[in-house]
Amino acid sequence: MSQKTQKPTLTGQRIKTRKRDEKEKYDPSSFRDQIVAGLNEVNADLELASKFLIQSGSKLDFRRYAEALLDILITGGILAPGGTIVTDNAAISSICVFNTEQDVDNMRNVIQLFERMIRQYKYLEKSLDDEMKKILMFLKGFTDVQRDRLTLATYLLISSSLIQPTCLIQILNDHLVNEGIALEFARCFFSAWLAEKDAPGLINILKKAEMDGKLMMLFPVHKRSIETFENYFNEADLKPIVDFQRNQNARIVTKEMKSRIKRLLEDESTAEEITSYMQETCEKNKIENLDIIPLLWSSLMKGVEWNKKEDLLAEQILRHLKTYASVLQRFTTTPATELLLLQKIQEFCYDNMSFLKLFQKIVMLLYKVDVIGEDTIIKWFKSGHSSKGKSVFLAQMEKMVEWLQSAEEESSEEEDDDEEEED
């Protein structure tokens, strides 16, 4: 009896794809057309525009089309790579940053749209951060007017904490710096901030953006100098930026100077070589003598390995200071700088106990080589001293000050006698 061969069958479960599970085609152009049409229908009424956008979020996929949505609210359309607005015969939104007057109050009203959108759809917060990083890269593709309006909007978005300041670092890209676009953006941003807020707040923003130490990079490489920087921002009436950069530059330069002086001392360079280097650096970077004195004294003292024995130490420091006295003399050109040097010597001797008893000897040497004048020493003794080790150092200096005062009185009497003889 023959058996009928059983036909093979497919195993497993057949799943029918539901229509709702089918992935919709990504179509930013269609999304744009719906958003732009809705915004243009409200006839520039920002309140109605806000309601339209919030209601549209329940119908349209804002999460998926976040980039397109934010492009529209900033530029009026969708951006192509490079910053060009994709037209393809589509309408442009009348409500956007680019179509808002260059006025803080008008721009602030538009920024409120972003604030309400983010409040309603929290996920747009990160999207807006990413959008600003992208759009600031495209500055070259916009017109001057569009860039100015975008700068004002950036200030309002950052100051309202709607975006992180980190987006600002994008303007330091070479193509924006070399075209002068980065510098113009920074000038407009700083001006907008300082017109309403304070300088410390702006500096804090720059620190968060990691730009506080990179402001010189706003200029093309061949124009990066403190003089160019100060001239540009002084003309723009942005003195707080000039002061900040001057301090930043001084910190960088003084750090370099400390290292260089240390190497020069190790190489046993002459006082003339050290003076020449410091003078050139100070003039180039506009560093005042009052800022140099603490650095110079500290560097001269750190550049030597001091002897442990007290008598040999005294001989060593006096020899060392005599060798480099002309360097100190070059920068102690006023009573104020002389007094500052005296104070720094006092603090050094107090902080380094081996030198505690040598203060008077150091001062006497510097007096003899014309680094510090007698008037300055007397002023220091009476009221100009530091509180550090005050009683110890005043006791050391008492006899010397008495001697200086008596010598001054004798000199004064001799001058009076000379005048009488002439009469």
Side-chain angles (χ1 to χ4, degrees), residues 78-314:
I78 295 177
L79 287 177
T84 307
I85 300 175
V86 179
T87 54
D88 57 19
N89 298 319
I92 297 292
S93 173
S94 59
I95 298 177
C96 65
V97 168
F98 279 7
N99 286 333
T100 303
E101 288 298 318
Q102 181 72 9
D103 174 80
V104 173
D105 292 332
N106 286 327
M107 190 64 73
R108 187 173 274 116
N109 290 334
V110 173
I111 297 304
Q112 285 179 356
L113 284 179
F114 293 87
E115 191 172 0
R116 292 175 184 176
M117 292 282 291
I118 288 173
R119 194 185 303 137
Q120 185 72 23
Y121 304 104
K122 190 66 177 174
Y123 55 81
L124 288 177
E125 189 171 17
K126 185 180 184 307
S127 300
L128 183 56
D129 264 335
D130 295 338
E131 174 73 10
M132 292 306 296
K133 289 175 184 176
K134 177 196 80 174
I135 209 164
L136 291 182
M137 286 282 289
F138 293 163
L139 283 171
K140 190 176 178 180
F142 307 144
T143 67
D144 290 343
V145 172
Q146 288 171 341
R147 282 197 288 265
D148 288 345
R149 292 174 179 177
L150 179 61
T151 306
L152 184 56
T154 305
Y155 151 65
L156 291 170
L157 288 168
I158 290 176
S159 62
S160 302
S161 300
L162 292 174
I163 61 173
Q164 295 298 315
T166 48
C167 64
L168 293 174
I169 200 72
Q170 301 300 324
I171 69 171
L172 293 182
N173 277 277
D174 288 344
H175 70 285
L176 298 177
V177 171
N178 294 333
E179 294 285 333
I181 295 171
L183 188 57
E184 181 63 16
F185 179 96
R187 183 190 66 76
C188 292
F189 183 89
F190 298 158
S191 295
W193 186 285
L194 293 174
E196 292 195 326
K197 299 183 179 296
D198 60 11
L202 176 56
I203 302 307
N204 189 43
I205 289 297
L206 292 174
K207 287 179 179 178
K208 289 180 179 178
E210 297 183 357
M211 280 184 65
D212 54 312
K214 300 176 181 177
L215 293 183
M216 199 68 78
M217 293 173 65
L218 290 166
F219 294 82
V221 175
H222 64 285
K223 291 184 179 179
R224 285 176 194 169
S225 71
I226 188 65
E227 186 176 1
T228 303
F229 186 100
E230 291 187 4
N231 288 341
Y232 180 84
F233 285 106
N234 273 327
E235 286 178 9
D237 198 24
L238 290 169
K239 189 175 182 297
I241 295 297
V242 173
D243 292 342
F244 173 74
Q245 183 57 36
R246 187 179 291 156
N247 291 335
Q248 286 285 97
N249 190 63
R251 277 196 286 270
I252 295 168
V253 172
T254 50
K255 186 176 180 181
E256 292 173 355
M257 287 178 74
K258 286 179 182 178
S259 299
R260 180 69 184 275
I261 293 170
K262 182 181 178 182
R263 290 197 301 272
L264 288 170
L265 289 171
E266 288 172 351
D267 296 340
E268 296 183 356
S269 301
T270 64
E272 289 75 15
E273 288 173 315
I274 296 176
T275 302
S276 177
Y277 160 70
M278 292 188 66
Q279 190 169 347
E280 182 182 338
T281 306
C282 290
E283 288 175 359
K284 181 181 177 182
N285 295 281
K286 296 184 178 180
I287 302 176
E288 301 294 333
N289 287 357
L290 279 171
D291 297 319
I292 285 298
I293 294 300
L295 175 150
L296 178 56
W297 175 258
S298 173
S299 298
L300 287 175
M301 294 301 99
K302 288 180 180 177
V304 179
E305 187 175 339
W306 298 110
N307 203 300
K308 303 294 183 184
K309 295 182 179 179
E310 187 176 329
D311 55 337
L312 295 176
L313 177 62

Side-chain angles (χ1 to χ4, degrees), residues 46 59 227 313 359:
L46 293 175
K59 304 171 188 175
E227 186 176 1
L313 177 62
F359 178 74

